[in-house]
Amino acid sequence: MKRKVLGVLLSVAMVATLVAGCGSSSSSTTSTDTAADTEETTTDDAAAADTADESADTAAAGGKIGISMPTQSLERWNRDGAYLDEQFQAAGYETVLTYSDNDSARQVNDIQNMLADGVDLLIVAAIDGEALNTAMNEAADAGVPVIAYDRLILNDAVSYYVSFDNYSVGTLQGQFIVDTLDLENAGDKVYNMEITAGDPADNNAPYFYQGAMDVLQPYIDAGTLNVVSGQTDFDTVATAQWSTDTALERAQNILSSYYADGTQLDVWLCSNDSTALGVSQAVTSDYAGSNTVLITGQDGDEANLKNIVDGIQTMTVYKNVSNESVVTLGLAQAILNGDTIDESLIPSFGIECSYDVESYETSEGNPCPSFLLVPNVITKDNLQDLVDTGLYTMGEDGYLSAVQ
Ligand code: BGC
């Protein structure tokens, strides 16, 4: 049932992708400077090894890993890229890290360059799960294993998938809404809600949406939740490239069309923090009501954590991406060592996760073995949990900053 619904959503997303086309290819630059707002390729040969000999030894000991990230314009991928790069280098691997500026054609090109460079294994967070076939087929021809990182790639060249339980990210958001508004005991009260989902090209986006909707739909059917705009289906509420500006613009349109008459807005389900940021801006500037609107999110981006402290956003579903890269490293080592890959590896990761061979398929009938980590709800009441990870600090002003 769950898979069938997602299958329908994905085929709609596929059509949208084909219609939109891939845009023109642009080549990546090579640099040793990662801290730029332009998207770059970093060739960081084992911490820029001092001598050629040392570099050769490192490569021989561990091998070369290609790490292809989607964009630096969405906060989390900067963290993912940095953690993967650091952790693989610390384990003795040579790394090539690229960001592809949310441009699928460029990501294909970046991966092709990695293959030409002789990488032994690829880690890819896809911009578009359906648009990497050329590069994936070349990886298969070259015998290079591929780990789909965070976002599944719909190509059978993918060997394994490491992510969080994406469906449960959505159920956590939905259940948070149910519990916070006490919808079970709402009686005749009606709460007004709007919905903003993620990028249709991202295989994760329908999972987040569906997880939340499976929890909320009974309350919509019962009339306890009322989507005033009537915009509920995934295609209508989706946000291309998870863009904050696109989410902002759509939220402003909804507020002016359906809420300018004083209608109260109670909840805005947002699939992640970049979209929640746009919705929060719209609610702050364009919503006429004086009540606090419950706004959900995902990731723990700095601006959103500030909004949580300030009462502008209500919660975020936090995914510890440092742990995600630890699991990816452990899996990559096992693949390169020729070890058996199954749930028996999990204790060696030291990270809570499940081994799942049913939930994700790279093509119909081809399940992709997956290691899925566990997401957590963060509100203003448990921000200390983030500080306790060692990945955030809390300033004297009470706001959190990610440790760089
Ligand atoms: C990730 C989310 C993220 C979104 C936009 C998704 O694939 O799983 O954590 O918010 O992409 O970057």
Side-chain angles (χ1 to χ4, degrees):
M1 169 74 173
K2 176 173 135 192
R3 182 169 302 153
K4 193 167 166 223
V5 173
L6 292 175
V8 171
L9 290 167
L10 289 174
S11 50
V12 172
M14 187 168 75
V15 171
T17 304
L18 289 173
V19 169
C22 285
S24 62
S25 169
S26 73
S27 61
S28 48
T29 57
T30 300
S31 168
T32 49
D33 176 11
T34 48
D37 45 4
T38 56
E39 311 276 322
E40 294 180 337
T41 298
T42 305
T43 304
D44 235 341
D45 295 347
D50 291 329
T51 66
D53 278 356
E54 202 177 316
S55 175
D57 285 351
T58 306
K64 194 187 279 190
I65 310 295
I67 303 167
S68 172
M69 294 287 112
T71 177
Q72 289 185 295
S73 68
L74 294 162
E75 184 178 317
R76 69 158 286 184
W77 305 107
N78 296 279
R79 286 202 281 274
D80 293 87
Y83 292 136
L84 287 164
D85 205 35
E86 280 162 21
Q87 290 174 14
F88 273 88
Q89 285 184 29
Y93 295 91
E94 193 177 337
T95 59
V96 184
L97 168 65
T98 60
Y99 288 91
S100 306
D101 201 14
N102 262 340
D103 176 343
S104 285
R106 177 165 165 179
Q107 189 166 36
V108 169
N109 194 52
D110 287 341
I111 296 169
Q112 286 176 318
N113 287 340
M114 291 174 182
L115 290 167
D117 199 18
V119 294
D120 299 291
L121 183 140
L122 282 165
I123 297 164
V124 180
I127 294 160
D128 182 334
E130 315 241 7
L132 293 181
N133 285 331
T134 306
M136 291 299 101
N137 295 341
E138 287 178 23
D141 289 346
V144 174
V146 180
I147 298 176
Y149 180 84
D150 201 83
R151 300 171 169 179
L152 190 62
I153 303 164
L154 303 184
N155 183 291
D156 293 343
V158 173
S159 323
Y160 297 98
Y161 180 40
V162 176
S163 193
F164 282 78
D165 183 336
N166 296 306
Y167 183 81
S168 83
V169 169
T171 60
L172 287 172
Q173 293 168 337
Q175 196 57 49
F176 183 88
I177 291 170
V178 170
D179 293 344
T180 305
L181 300 181
D182 194 16
L183 297 185
E184 274 298 291
N185 300 305
D188 291 338
K189 187 158 173 43
V190 177
Y191 290 95
N192 292 331
M193 177 173 84
E194 298 298 334
I195 304 166
T196 295
D199 184 352
D202 177 349
N203 191 65
N204 289 350
Y207 284 83
F208 302 143
Y209 166 84
Q210 202 59 53
M213 292 306 279
D214 285 352
V215 175
L216 298 175
Q217 193 64 49
Y219 299 96
I220 296 174
D221 293 343
T224 310
L225 284 175
N226 176 33
V227 182
V228 177
S229 69
Q231 298 178 16
T232 54
D233 69 286
F234 178 76
D235 285 337
T236 309
V237 302
T239 311
Q241 301 203 333
W242 297 93
S243 157
T244 297
D245 288 346
T246 305
L248 167 67
E249 203 177 313
R250 178 169 165 266
Q252 285 176 323
N253 286 337
I254 287 175
L255 289 171
S256 66
S257 305
Y258 301 98
Y259 294 88
D261 63 356
T263 301
Q264 177 161 315
L265 171 65
D266 299 294
V267 189
W268 205 305
L269 169 70
C270 295
S271 280
N272 87 329
D273 279 354
S274 61
T275 53
L277 203 59
V279 166
S280 300
Q281 276 175 37
V283 167
T284 304
S285 60
D286 291 41
Y287 174 51
S290 55
N291 62 301
T292 300
V293 180
L294 190 169
I295 299 175
T296 66
Q298 168 186 195
D299 286 331
D301 286 353
E302 283 181 342
N304 299 76
L305 294 174
K306 180 171 186 297
N307 279 350
I308 288 175
V309 172
D310 291 343
I312 294 169
Q313 182 173 324
T314 321
M315 62 89 84
T316 191
V317 177
Y318 177 63
K319 306 193 298 190
N320 184 323
V321 297
S322 175
N323 287 348
E324 194 172 4
S325 59
V326 170
V327 171
T328 305
L329 171 62
L331 174 60
Q333 287 173 317
I335 295 170
L336 292 172
N337 290 341
D339 296 344
T340 303
I341 312 279
D342 58 22
E343 66 275 0
S344 66
L345 278 182
I346 292 176
S348 70
F349 301 154
I351 305 283
E352 184 184 4
C353 62
S354 61
Y355 180 66
D356 182 330
V357 289
E358 282 174 2
S359 298
Y360 293 94
E361 293 182 337
T362 50
S363 64
E364 190 146 3
N366 282 311
C368 186
S370 308
F371 290 92
L372 303 176
L373 291 86
V374 182
N376 300 105
V377 169
I378 292 291
T379 67
K380 66 175 175 357
D381 297 327
N382 65 350
L383 288 168
Q384 184 61 35
D385 289 0
L386 293 185
V387 177
D388 292 344
T389 63
L391 302 171
Y392 293 85
T393 54
M394 191 178 291
E396 283 177 8
D397 52 9
Y399 296 134
L400 276 77
S401 308
V403 175
Q404 300 305 321

